[in-house]
Amino acid sequence: MAKELGLHSWKEAALGGAIITPGNASELRTGDWRSSRPVVDYEKCIKCGRCYIICPDMVYTLKEDGYYELNYYYCKGCGICSEECPKDAIEMIEEGS
Amino acid sequence: MGKRVGMEVSIAAAEAVALIDVDVVAAYPITPQTHIVEHLSELVANGHLDAEFVPVESEHSAMSVCVGAAAAGARTFTSTSSQGYALMVEICYIASSMRLPIVMAVVNRALSAPISIWNDHSDMMLARDTGWIQTVAENGQEVVDLLIHAYRVAEDHRVLLPVMVNLDGFIVSHVIEPIELPSKEEVQKYLPPYKPLLKLDPKSPVTMGPVGVPEIYTEVKKAQDEAIKNSKKVILEAWEEFAKHFGRVYKPVETYRCEDAEIVILLMGSIAETAMRAIDTMRERGKRVGLARLRLFRPFPVEELVSVLKPVKAVAVIDRALGFNGYTGPLCAEVKTVLFNHALTPYVWNYIAGLGGRDVTVENFVEMVEMLEERAARKEPMGYEIINVRE
């Protein structure tokens, strides 16, 4: 999991909360309140990319081998990927279990 | 230095804004602010002021235009009163939170209902927590001077906050007073051109006023709170510089005959002049009474108040607005917080006076001080009352 980024001291806050570096929302860890996480069974995966397209955040990224890698830094555990996977290759596992 | 000429204060205020050379004026007319805006539109129309005058459809839009203009790097001005101010408040919070150095003259008028076009401070108190720096003028010359001072403070990179200059509706705004207007060159020497720290510029894109998620919002607010606290130093510096440039000396708290005072009347705005007359009368009768008038309301002038009130036995705090909380007017609540925080325990009585344009007379002040003394003598629990009200 990526290191926590995007959290600064109030002394470093941009004037009036402005965004002076475009795209800095990606620095914020938004995946800290899920109750279950998606786990991919790559034996079943057919590299269709549906999870990548449908994920409302930025959890899935394409690797060189055509499979998709998960970044839990952003995952809120919504389960859409698991619901929509045509091969039932994504299972939602309860956090802490 | 210019000549002293008789001039309506609203006209003088507009002339001052022209001397300040603002880039954008956006305003909607409302009594008793109207003359300021009317005169500014004339100055723009006849070419005396090279500015964009935006005749908007509401005060909400007036402040929104100011926010946009200031975000693009323009020096902006607006003015309003009462209901107009109430409609504007949503955007007032945004202006201060986005750290935009807008200056606004609020011509203080009572809030409805019942409808009143006359003066009190209920509009000013409505928005006391908007995060604007707030100054309060006593007379016309002070309005002009505080407006010039306001831009110097607002645009300082150590501050970058909007400033509101309050003046009493009609009692100050519509009165013809001797006013000394400086020349444009003199104003320019005191007030350098506005250089924004951040602005909307396609060559260097930024997003101003975005969402602040829970991980960020508190830090942005802390920075804003520190900014208004730290603005005090710049406000004082700017007044010191003002005295050097224009010869008039301003302080956060103005005092009158407080040196040996046992009782202090504490208030804001133009009724200070009546209070001074009353104090002279009471002094002749041997009463040790003084006046403390707040010129600076935000940030609250804590140190100055402590030094004025430390030796005092009793304080009459005059509010020009109700708090509707059942125990104090808004100004008195702030004063009591300062006293409590500094373990000072004078007897404090809070008078609500001059609501919706009712006159506050010399006799009223004399009576308020007498009642304060009686209450203090019989150790009546501290509280508030509306004066001059028919039973």
Side-chain angles (χ1 to χ4, degrees):
Chain A
M1 191 176 292
K3 198 171 131 259
E4 184 86 46
L5 299 162
L7 296 183
H8 305 294
S9 150
W10 66 267
K11 291 170 195 153
E12 291 154 6
L15 188 74
I19 296 171
I20 47 178
T21 41
N24 69 357
S26 64
E27 291 175 7
L28 267 185
R29 184 158 71 96
T30 49
D32 59 348
W33 45 270
R34 67 175 169 267
S35 55
S36 56
R37 61 166 64 208
V39 176
V40 179
D41 180 351
Y42 290 102
E43 297 289 315
K44 291 184 186 168
C45 176
I46 56 166
K47 306 178 181 174
C48 72
R50 201 153 171 177
C51 53
Y52 167 76
I53 293 164
I54 228 153
C55 174
D57 227 315
M58 300 186 291
V59 177
Y60 290 89
T61 37
L62 181 63
K63 293 193 291 181
E64 274 185 16
D65 62 6
Y67 288 110
Y68 292 86
E69 184 178 46
L70 282 79
N71 184 353
Y72 294 108
Y73 192 68
Y74 303 120
C75 179
K76 298 173 182 68
C78 73
I80 282 186
C81 52
S82 168
E83 189 70 24
E84 296 296 329
C85 177
K87 290 289 171 191
D88 288 334
I90 306 173
E91 195 185 349
M92 298 304 289
I93 308 284
E94 199 172 328
E95 285 290 354
S97 66
Chain B
M1 200 59 71
K3 280 198 305 192
R4 284 180 103 202
V5 288
M7 199 184 286
E8 188 192 317
V9 172
S10 291
I11 305 302
E15 291 285 344
V17 172
L19 290 171
I20 289 158
D21 205 14
V22 298
D23 302 308
V24 174
V25 178
Y28 188 83
I30 184 167
T31 303
Q33 151 265 38
T34 326
H35 290 182
I36 297 178
V37 175
E38 273 177 3
H39 193 64
L40 272 169
S41 73
E42 268 174 40
L43 290 171
V44 173
N46 66 20
H48 286 310
L49 171 59
D50 180 18
E52 200 67 45
F53 185 92
V54 191
V56 286
E57 76 282 17
S58 79
E59 288 82 359
H60 191 277
S61 304
M63 186 49 65
S64 299
V65 167
C66 288
V67 164
R75 180 176 277 174
T76 58
F77 177 78
T78 189
S79 178
T80 192
S81 296
S82 180
Q83 304 308 115
Y85 185 31
L87 182 56
M88 191 186 263
V89 166
E90 181 193 355
I91 312 300
C92 288
Y93 274 84
I94 291 169
S96 59
S97 306
M98 285 173 62
R99 310 285 303 276
L100 299 170
I102 298 159
V103 172
M104 164 160 68
V106 177
V107 187
N108 299 124
R109 161 186 154 184
L111 287 172
S112 300
I115 296 170
S116 166
I117 59 165
W118 295 277
N119 168 236
D120 72 23
H121 289 172
S122 51
D123 56 1
M124 170 183 179
M125 291 303 159
L126 152 81
R128 64 189 183 275
D129 297 335
T130 47
W132 285 54
I133 292 168
Q134 296 195 43
T135 55
V136 190
E138 177 184 287
N139 54 45
Q141 186 65 57
E142 207 174 312
V143 172
V144 167
D145 294 350
L146 289 182
L147 282 170
I148 299 167
H149 171 261
Y151 281 94
R152 168 120 177 188
V153 172
E155 293 170 0
D156 191 301
H157 281 199
R158 293 167 293 171
V159 178
L160 290 170
L161 284 169
V163 181
M164 190 184 296
V165 176
N166 291 278
L167 61 144
D168 285 324
F170 296 115
I171 298 166
V172 174
S173 66
H174 284 53
V175 171
I176 295 174
E177 288 189 21
I179 307 269
E180 186 180 294
L181 283 173
S183 69
K184 200 159 197 168
E185 292 67 39
E186 285 169 325
V187 174
Q188 276 167 352
K189 270 187 211 154
Y190 174 72
L191 183 65
Y194 171 41
K195 289 201 182 69
L197 189 62
L198 267 189
K199 66 170 178 174
L200 296 176
D201 177 2
K203 287 184 205 122
S204 167
V206 295
T207 304
M208 294 172 79
V211 168
V213 291
E215 291 84 349
I216 282 169
Y217 188 88
T218 306
E219 279 67 30
V220 174
K221 286 291 151 188
K222 164 79 175 167
Q224 186 186 348
D225 188 48
E226 288 297 316
I228 193 157
K229 277 198 279 180
N230 295 334
S231 73
K232 173 91 176 282
K233 196 174 138 236
V234 180
I235 292 166
L236 298 181
E237 255 177 51
W239 271 330
E240 272 169 37
E241 281 300 306
F242 192 94
K244 285 182 206 156
H245 281 75
F246 304 102
R248 284 179 293 278
V249 180
Y250 289 118
K251 294 177 289 188
V253 178
E254 204 63 55
T255 55
Y256 180 69
R257 303 188 80 166
C258 274
E259 310 76 44
D260 61 342
E262 291 180 336
I263 296 172
V264 161
I265 301 171
L266 193 150
L267 46 70
M268 296 195 291
S270 61
I271 57 166
E273 306 205 341
T274 317
M276 287 190 276
R277 289 278 301 279
I279 284 164
D280 288 344
T281 308
M282 287 184 273
R283 283 271 177 183
E284 277 167 27
R285 295 177 199 159
K287 234 171 233 179
R288 283 155 69 179
V289 187
L291 172 76
R293 170 174 70 95
L294 270 62
R295 181 177 283 116
L296 181 65
F297 179 61
R298 283 287 185 273
F300 206 63
V302 175
E303 295 80 9
E304 291 80 1
L305 271 184
V306 168
S307 82
V308 172
L309 299 181
K310 207 167 200 168
V312 169
K313 287 181 183 156
V315 188
V317 180
I318 320 290
D319 259 294
R320 307 276 327 271
L322 273 160
F324 295 119
N325 53 19
Y327 65 96
T328 176
L331 175 60
C332 190
E334 309 248 351
V335 172
K336 281 182 174 170
T337 303
V338 170
L339 292 172
F340 190 87
N341 285 356
H342 292 81
L344 299 176
T345 53
Y347 187 83
V348 181
W349 191 264
N350 184 200
Y351 294 103
I352 315 291
L355 295 181
R358 183 156 298 183
D359 285 335
V360 187
T361 63
V362 170
E363 293 71 34
N364 288 151
F365 279 110
V366 172
E367 202 183 327
M368 284 191 274
V369 169
E370 279 169 3
M371 290 190 299
L372 171 75
E373 285 177 302
E374 283 172 25
R375 287 190 165 107
R378 62 172 185 262
K379 295 192 170 69
E380 188 178 319
M382 290 187 259
Y384 78 101
E385 72 178 324
I386 304 174
I387 65 144
N388 229 348
V389 61
R390 288 184 303 277
E391 289 297 333

